[in-house]
Amino acid sequence: MQLLLIHSDNIEYSAQKKTPVAEEEIIPQDSLDEALTVFCAVESSDEDDIEGTVKKAVAEILETSKKLGTKNIMLYPYAHLSSDLSSPKAAVEVLKKMEAGCSCEEDYTIKRAPFGWYKSFKLSCKGHPLSELSRTITPGDVEEKPEKKQVTHEF
Amino acid sequence: MQLLLIHSDNIEYSAQKKTPVAEEEIIPQDSLDEALTVFCAVESSDEDDIEGTVKKAVAEILETSKKLGTKNIMLYPYAHLSSDLSSPKAAVEVLKKMEAGCSCEEDYTIKRAPFGWYKSFKLSCKGHPLSELSRTITPGDVEEKPEKKQVTHEF
Ligand SMILES: [Mg+2]
Protein backbone atom coordinates (compact mmCIF):
# COMPACT_ATOMS: atom_id res chain seq x y z
CA MET A 1 0.00 0.00 0.00
CA GLN A 2 1.15 3.47 -0.85
CA LEU A 3 0.17 6.29 1.49
CA LEU A 4 0.57 10.02 1.04
CA LEU A 5 -0.28 11.82 4.26
CA ILE A 6 -0.97 15.55 4.14
CA HIS A 7 -1.55 17.78 7.14
CA SER A 8 -4.34 19.94 5.83
CA ASP A 9 -6.12 23.10 6.89
CA ASN A 10 -9.04 21.71 4.95
CA ILE A 11 -9.97 18.86 2.63
CA GLU A 12 -13.27 18.61 0.83
CA TYR A 13 -14.54 16.38 -1.94
CA SER A 14 -17.60 15.94 -4.07
CA ALA A 15 -18.32 12.75 -6.02
CA GLN A 16 -19.03 13.67 -9.64
CA LYS A 17 -19.34 10.51 -11.69
CA LYS A 18 -19.02 6.77 -11.29
CA THR A 19 -16.21 4.76 -12.76
CA PRO A 20 -16.94 1.10 -13.64
CA VAL A 21 -15.62 0.06 -10.20
CA ALA A 22 -17.60 2.54 -8.11
CA GLU A 23 -18.79 1.49 -4.68
CA GLU A 24 -22.52 2.02 -4.26
CA GLU A 25 -23.34 3.29 -0.80
CA ILE A 26 -21.37 6.46 -0.43
CA ILE A 27 -21.27 9.83 1.25
CA PRO A 28 -21.31 11.93 -1.93
CA GLN A 29 -19.66 15.01 -0.47
CA ASP A 30 -17.94 15.90 2.73
CA SER A 31 -15.19 18.00 4.24
CA LEU A 32 -12.89 18.13 7.24
CA ASP A 33 -10.86 20.96 8.77
CA GLU A 34 -7.50 20.62 10.53
CA ALA A 35 -7.17 17.11 9.22
CA LEU A 36 -4.71 14.49 8.24
CA THR A 37 -5.63 13.68 4.64
CA VAL A 38 -4.52 10.17 3.77
CA PHE A 39 -4.29 9.42 0.06
CA CYS A 40 -4.19 5.60 -0.27
CA ALA A 41 -3.45 3.16 -3.06
CA VAL A 42 -4.13 -0.45 -2.12
CA GLU A 43 -1.69 -2.69 -4.03
CA SER A 44 -1.86 -6.23 -5.34
CA SER A 45 0.58 -7.54 -2.73
CA ASP A 46 -1.72 -6.26 0.04
CA GLU A 47 -4.25 -8.91 -0.99
CA ASP A 48 -1.93 -11.58 0.44
CA ASP A 49 -2.52 -10.26 3.96
CA ILE A 50 -5.36 -7.80 4.16
CA GLU A 51 -5.62 -7.84 7.95
CA GLY A 52 -1.89 -7.32 8.41
CA THR A 53 -1.78 -4.52 5.88
CA VAL A 54 -4.72 -2.76 7.51
CA LYS A 55 -3.17 -3.07 10.96
CA LYS A 56 0.13 -1.58 9.81
CA ALA A 57 -1.55 1.20 7.87
CA VAL A 58 -3.81 2.15 10.78
CA ALA A 59 -0.84 2.19 13.17
CA GLU A 60 1.13 4.42 10.78
CA ILE A 61 -1.78 6.82 10.28
CA LEU A 62 -2.57 7.11 13.99
CA GLU A 63 1.08 7.61 14.89
CA THR A 64 1.32 10.42 12.34
CA SER A 65 -1.91 12.02 13.57
CA LYS A 66 -0.54 12.03 17.11
CA LYS A 67 2.74 13.63 16.03
CA LEU A 68 0.77 16.32 14.23
CA GLY A 69 -1.77 16.78 17.02
CA THR A 70 -4.87 16.18 14.92
CA LYS A 71 -7.78 13.83 15.56
CA ASN A 72 -9.43 14.38 12.19
CA ILE A 73 -8.62 11.93 9.44
CA MET A 74 -9.86 11.84 5.85
CA LEU A 75 -9.12 8.58 4.04
CA TYR A 76 -8.99 9.28 0.31
CA PRO A 77 -8.51 6.47 -2.24
CA TYR A 78 -5.90 7.51 -4.78
CA ALA A 79 -5.06 5.02 -7.52
CA HIS A 80 -2.39 7.31 -9.00
CA LEU A 81 0.03 6.51 -6.19
CA SER A 82 0.75 3.02 -7.52
CA SER A 83 1.32 1.16 -10.75
CA ASP A 84 0.42 -2.18 -9.15
CA LEU A 85 -3.09 -1.84 -7.77
CA SER A 86 -5.16 -4.47 -5.96
CA SER A 87 -8.55 -5.55 -7.25
CA PRO A 88 -11.27 -2.95 -6.61
CA LYS A 89 -13.01 -5.42 -4.27
CA ALA A 90 -9.91 -5.78 -2.11
CA ALA A 91 -9.34 -2.03 -2.16
CA VAL A 92 -12.83 -1.32 -0.81
CA GLU A 93 -12.41 -4.00 1.85
CA VAL A 94 -9.07 -2.56 2.96
CA LEU A 95 -10.35 1.03 2.98
CA LYS A 96 -13.43 0.10 5.03
CA LYS A 97 -11.27 -1.81 7.50
CA MET A 98 -8.86 1.13 7.75
CA GLU A 99 -11.81 3.39 8.46
CA ALA A 100 -13.06 1.02 11.17
CA GLY A 101 -9.57 0.65 12.63
CA CYS A 102 -8.94 4.38 12.87
CA SER A 103 -12.45 4.87 14.31
CA CYS A 104 -11.53 2.80 17.37
CA GLU A 105 -9.43 5.72 18.57
CA GLU A 106 -11.30 7.78 21.13
CA ASP A 107 -12.45 11.28 20.14
CA TYR A 108 -11.28 10.88 16.54
CA THR A 109 -13.35 11.94 13.52
CA ILE A 110 -12.73 9.60 10.61
CA LYS A 111 -14.18 10.20 7.16
CA ARG A 112 -13.66 8.25 3.96
CA ALA A 113 -14.07 9.49 0.40
CA PRO A 114 -15.75 7.00 -1.93
CA PHE A 115 -13.78 4.53 -3.99
CA GLY A 116 -14.26 4.36 -7.74
CA TRP A 117 -15.81 7.76 -8.32
CA TYR A 118 -14.43 10.73 -10.17
CA LYS A 119 -14.33 13.39 -7.49
CA SER A 120 -13.63 17.08 -7.39
CA PHE A 121 -11.62 18.03 -4.35
CA LYS A 122 -10.05 21.00 -2.62
CA LEU A 123 -7.04 20.53 -0.44
CA SER A 124 -4.86 22.95 1.47
CA CYS A 125 -1.55 21.64 2.72
CA LYS A 126 -0.05 23.44 5.70
CA GLY A 127 3.52 23.36 4.38
CA HIS A 128 5.49 22.78 7.60
CA PRO A 129 8.27 20.16 7.40
CA LEU A 130 6.07 17.29 8.59
CA SER A 131 3.01 18.24 6.58
CA GLU A 132 3.71 15.87 3.68
CA LEU A 133 4.85 12.32 4.27
CA SER A 134 4.80 9.25 2.07
CA ARG A 135 4.86 5.69 3.29
CA THR A 136 5.03 2.28 1.68
CA ILE A 137 3.20 -0.36 3.73
CA THR A 138 4.07 -3.97 2.95
CA PRO A 139 2.19 -6.97 4.34
CA GLY A 140 4.20 -8.25 7.29
CA ASP A 141 4.16 -11.95 6.60
CA VAL A 142 4.97 -11.71 2.91
CA GLU A 143 8.56 -11.73 1.74
CA GLU A 144 9.38 -8.38 0.26
CA LYS A 145 9.70 -8.52 -3.50
CA PRO A 146 13.20 -7.55 -4.62
CA GLU A 147 12.03 -4.73 -6.86
CA LYS A 148 10.03 -3.11 -4.07
CA LYS A 149 11.94 -0.82 -1.80
CA GLN A 150 10.67 0.20 1.62
CA VAL A 151 10.75 3.93 1.34
CA THR A 152 10.22 6.74 3.74
CA HIS A 153 10.21 10.25 2.35
CA GLU A 154 9.98 13.23 4.59
CA PHE A 155 10.58 15.58 1.70
CA MET B 1 9.95 10.67 -14.32
CA GLN B 2 6.65 10.40 -12.61
CA LEU B 3 3.98 12.94 -13.48
CA LEU B 4 0.62 13.56 -11.84
CA LEU B 5 -1.43 15.99 -13.91
CA ILE B 6 -4.41 17.70 -12.31
CA HIS B 7 -6.86 19.94 -14.10
CA SER B 8 -7.35 22.60 -11.47
CA ASP B 9 -9.69 25.50 -10.88
CA ASN B 10 -6.82 26.98 -8.91
CA ILE B 11 -3.38 26.13 -7.63
CA GLU B 12 -1.40 28.34 -5.28
CA TYR B 13 1.75 27.79 -3.27
CA SER B 14 3.87 29.62 -0.77
CA ALA B 15 7.46 28.59 0.03
CA GLN B 16 7.79 28.22 3.80
CA LYS B 17 11.21 26.81 4.62
CA LYS B 18 14.30 25.55 2.83
CA THR B 19 15.31 21.92 2.79
CA PRO B 20 19.04 21.15 2.45
CA VAL B 21 18.60 20.88 -1.33
CA ALA B 22 16.69 24.13 -1.88
CA GLU B 23 17.27 26.07 -5.07
CA GLU B 24 18.19 29.70 -4.34
CA GLU B 25 16.57 32.03 -6.83
CA ILE B 26 12.87 31.38 -6.51
CA ILE B 27 9.45 32.89 -6.86
CA PRO B 28 8.38 32.44 -3.24
CA GLN B 29 4.65 32.43 -3.85
CA ASP B 30 2.41 32.31 -6.85
CA SER B 31 -0.91 31.05 -8.13
CA LEU B 32 -2.66 30.12 -11.33
CA ASP B 33 -6.35 29.73 -12.21
CA GLU B 34 -7.82 27.27 -14.72
CA ALA B 35 -4.53 25.45 -14.86
CA LEU B 36 -2.96 22.12 -15.50
CA THR B 37 -1.00 21.43 -12.32
CA VAL B 38 1.86 19.06 -13.04
CA PHE B 39 3.33 17.34 -10.01
CA CYS B 40 6.75 15.98 -11.09
CA ALA B 41 9.28 13.60 -9.60
CA VAL B 42 12.52 13.42 -11.59
CA GLU B 43 13.98 9.92 -11.24
CA SER B 44 17.50 8.53 -11.27
CA SER B 45 17.05 6.90 -14.70
CA ASP B 46 16.18 10.30 -16.17
CA GLU B 47 19.78 11.38 -15.58
CA ASP B 48 20.87 9.03 -18.38
CA ASP B 49 19.10 11.18 -20.95
CA ILE B 50 18.00 14.52 -19.57
CA GLU B 51 17.24 16.07 -22.97
CA GLY B 52 15.18 13.08 -24.09
CA THR B 53 13.26 12.96 -20.82
CA VAL B 54 12.48 16.67 -20.96
CA LYS B 55 11.33 16.40 -24.56
CA LYS B 56 8.95 13.54 -23.79
CA ALA B 57 7.63 15.19 -20.64
CA VAL B 58 6.99 18.50 -22.40
CA ALA B 59 5.19 16.72 -25.26
CA GLU B 60 3.00 14.82 -22.79
CA ILE B 61 2.16 17.94 -20.78
CA LEU B 62 1.33 20.05 -23.84
CA GLU B 63 -0.78 17.27 -25.33
CA THR B 64 -2.74 17.01 -22.09
CA SER B 65 -3.17 20.78 -21.86
CA LYS B 66 -4.58 20.84 -25.39
CA LYS B 67 -7.04 18.04 -24.63
CA LEU B 68 -8.20 19.95 -21.58
CA GLY B 69 -8.27 23.33 -23.33
CA THR B 70 -6.01 25.16 -20.90
CA LYS B 71 -2.92 27.23 -21.62
CA ASN B 72 -1.93 27.69 -17.99
CA ILE B 73 0.59 25.24 -16.56
CA MET B 74 2.01 25.05 -13.04
CA LEU B 75 5.04 22.76 -12.75
CA TYR B 76 5.26 21.55 -9.15
CA PRO B 77 8.17 19.37 -7.96
CA TYR B 78 6.83 16.46 -5.93
CA ALA B 79 9.35 13.99 -4.54
CA HIS B 80 6.63 11.80 -3.03
CA LEU B 81 5.68 10.41 -6.43
CA SER B 82 8.80 8.25 -6.64
CA SER B 83 11.02 6.04 -4.52
CA ASP B 84 13.92 6.39 -6.94
CA LEU B 85 14.70 10.10 -7.23
CA SER B 86 17.42 11.76 -9.29
CA SER B 87 20.04 13.98 -7.70
CA PRO B 88 18.67 17.40 -6.70
CA LYS B 89 20.98 19.02 -9.26
CA ALA B 90 19.54 16.93 -12.09
CA ALA B 91 15.99 17.55 -10.86
CA VAL B 92 16.44 21.33 -10.98
CA GLU B 93 18.03 21.08 -14.44
CA VAL B 94 15.13 18.96 -15.73
CA LEU B 95 12.46 21.18 -14.18
CA LYS B 96 14.02 24.36 -15.61
CA LYS B 97 14.25 22.74 -19.05
CA MET B 98 10.63 21.58 -18.81
CA GLU B 99 9.63 25.14 -17.95
CA ALA B 100 11.58 26.48 -20.93
CA GLY B 101 10.18 23.78 -23.21
CA CYS B 102 6.56 24.46 -22.27
CA SER B 103 7.17 28.22 -22.56
CA CYS B 104 7.91 27.86 -26.28
CA GLU B 105 4.21 27.29 -26.82
CA GLU B 106 2.50 30.48 -27.96
CA ASP B 107 0.10 32.21 -25.53
CA TYR B 108 0.85 29.79 -22.72
CA THR B 109 1.48 30.87 -19.12
CA ILE B 110 4.00 28.59 -17.46
CA LYS B 111 4.88 28.82 -13.78
CA ARG B 112 7.16 26.64 -11.70
CA ALA B 113 7.07 26.12 -7.94
CA PRO B 114 10.53 26.04 -6.33
CA PHE B 115 12.42 22.80 -5.81
CA GLY B 116 13.65 21.86 -2.36
CA TRP B 117 11.41 24.05 -0.26
CA TYR B 118 8.67 23.08 2.14
CA LYS B 119 5.64 24.74 0.64
CA SER B 120 2.08 25.28 1.68
CA PHE B 121 -0.30 24.87 -1.20
CA LYS B 122 -3.96 24.99 -2.10
CA LEU B 123 -5.28 22.96 -4.95
CA SER B 124 -8.74 22.43 -6.34
CA CYS B 125 -9.22 19.55 -8.74
CA LYS B 126 -12.13 19.82 -11.16
CA GLY B 127 -13.15 16.19 -10.86
CA HIS B 128 -14.20 15.40 -14.42
CA PRO B 129 -12.96 12.09 -15.85
CA LEU B 130 -9.82 13.56 -17.40
CA SER B 131 -8.96 15.86 -14.52
CA GLU B 132 -6.44 13.49 -12.90
CA LEU B 133 -3.89 11.62 -14.97
CA SER B 134 -0.62 9.96 -14.07
CA ARG B 135 2.20 9.27 -16.47
CA THR B 136 5.53 7.50 -16.25
CA ILE B 137 8.10 9.04 -18.59
CA THR B 138 11.16 6.93 -19.38
CA PRO B 139 14.21 8.15 -21.26
CA GLY B 140 13.83 7.04 -24.88
CA ASP B 141 17.28 5.78 -25.64
CA VAL B 142 17.70 3.81 -22.43
CA GLU B 143 16.57 0.23 -22.23
CA GLU B 144 13.63 -0.01 -19.90
CA LYS B 145 14.54 -1.64 -16.62
CA PRO B 146 12.56 -4.86 -16.13
CA GLU B 147 11.06 -3.75 -12.81
CA LYS B 148 9.74 -0.53 -14.26
CA LYS B 149 6.38 -0.74 -15.91
CA GLN B 150 5.16 1.90 -18.34
CA VAL B 151 1.91 2.84 -16.75
CA THR B 152 -0.97 4.99 -17.78
CA HIS B 153 -3.72 5.58 -15.27
CA GLU B 154 -6.80 7.45 -16.18
CA PHE B 155 -8.42 6.68 -12.87
MG1 LIG C 1 5.56 4.49 -7.39
Side-chain angles (χ1 to χ4, degrees):
Chain A
M1 180 187 301
Q2 301 293 335
L3 297 179
L4 175 62
L5 303 110
I6 298 194
H7 194 195
S8 314
D9 293 315
N10 177 259
I11 168 74
E12 63 182 79
Y13 73 82
S14 175
Q16 301 293 321
K17 194 174 178 223
K18 283 182 179 187
T19 74
V21 297
E23 60 175 322
E24 289 296 335
E25 284 175 35
I26 67 162
I27 296 171
Q29 52 201 45
D30 213 340
S31 69
L32 205 52
D33 289 331
E34 295 299 325
L36 181 62
T37 303
V38 183
F39 292 99
C40 316
V42 183
E43 296 182 292
S44 60
S45 60
D46 300 331
E47 298 193 50
D48 298 334
D49 181 12
I50 284 185
E51 301 300 332
T53 301
V54 167
K55 200 173 160 183
K56 278 192 183 181
V58 167
E60 186 67 50
I61 292 166
L62 293 176
E63 191 189 322
T64 303
S65 76
K66 280 162 197 170
K67 274 188 200 149
L68 296 174
T70 178
K71 295 182 172 186
N72 298 327
I73 295 172
M74 174 71 81
L75 300 174
Y76 199 108
Y78 213 71
H80 296 299
L81 295 179
S82 176
S83 54
D84 186 21
L85 296 170
S86 74
S87 70
K89 184 169 169 287
V92 171
E93 181 182 348
V94 166
L95 291 162
K96 285 183 175 174
K97 286 182 171 169
M98 285 170 64
E99 184 182 11
C102 291
S103 299
C104 292
E105 206 70 4
E106 211 174 342
D107 299 331
Y108 271 57
T109 300
I110 314 297
K111 297 186 175 188
R112 184 172 68 79
F115 178 90
W117 289 73
Y118 296 111
K119 295 179 286 293
S120 60
F121 69 84
K122 288 185 192 179
L123 171 70
S124 63
C125 166
K126 288 180 176 282
H128 62 72
L130 291 175
S131 62
E132 291 168 272
L133 307 168
S134 52
R135 295 283 185 268
T136 300
I137 307 286
T138 48
D141 55 354
V142 173
E143 270 200 288
E144 214 165 303
K145 293 180 196 161
E147 76 273 25
K148 285 247 163 186
K149 288 191 262 174
Q150 183 86 26
V151 177
T152 295
H153 273 144
E154 306 228 337
F155 159 60
Chain B
M1 179 187 301
Q2 300 294 335
L3 296 179
L4 175 62
L5 303 111
I6 298 193
H7 193 195
S8 313
D9 292 316
N10 176 259
I11 169 73
E12 63 181 80
Y13 73 83
S14 174
Q16 300 292 319
K17 195 175 176 221
K18 283 183 180 186
T19 73
V21 297
E23 60 176 322
E24 289 295 335
E25 283 174 34
I26 67 163
I27 296 170
Q29 53 201 42
D30 213 338
S31 70
L32 205 52
D33 289 332
E34 296 298 327
L36 180 62
T37 303
V38 183
F39 293 99
C40 316
V42 183
E43 297 183 291
S44 60
S45 60
D46 301 331
E47 299 193 48
D48 298 334
D49 181 12
I50 284 185
E51 302 301 330
T53 302
V54 167
K55 199 172 161 184
K56 279 192 185 180
V58 167
E60 186 66 51
I61 292 165
L62 292 176
E63 192 188 323
T64 303
S65 76
K66 280 162 197 170
K67 273 188 202 150
L68 297 172
T70 177
K71 295 182 173 186
N72 298 327
I73 295 173
M74 174 70 82
L75 300 174
Y76 199 108
Y78 213 71
H80 296 299
L81 295 179
S82 176
S83 55
D84 186 20
L85 295 171
S86 74
S87 70
K89 184 170 168 285
V92 171
E93 181 182 348
V94 167
L95 290 161
K96 285 182 175 174
K97 286 182 171 169
M98 285 169 65
E99 184 183 10
C102 292
S103 298
C104 292
E105 205 70 4
E106 212 175 343
D107 299 332
Y108 271 57
T109 300
I110 315 297
K111 297 186 175 189
R112 184 172 67 80
F115 178 89
W117 289 73
Y118 296 112
K119 295 179 286 293
S120 60
F121 68 85
K122 288 185 192 177
L123 171 71
S124 64
C125 166
K126 288 179 177 283
H128 62 73
L130 289 176
S131 62
E132 291 169 90
L133 307 169
S134 53
R135 295 285 185 266
T136 299
I137 307 286
T138 48
D141 55 356
V142 173
E143 269 200 290
E144 217 167 301
K145 294 180 195 161
E147 77 271 26
K148 286 249 164 184
K149 289 190 262 176
Q150 183 86 23
V151 177
T152 295
H153 273 143
E154 305 231 337
F155 160 59

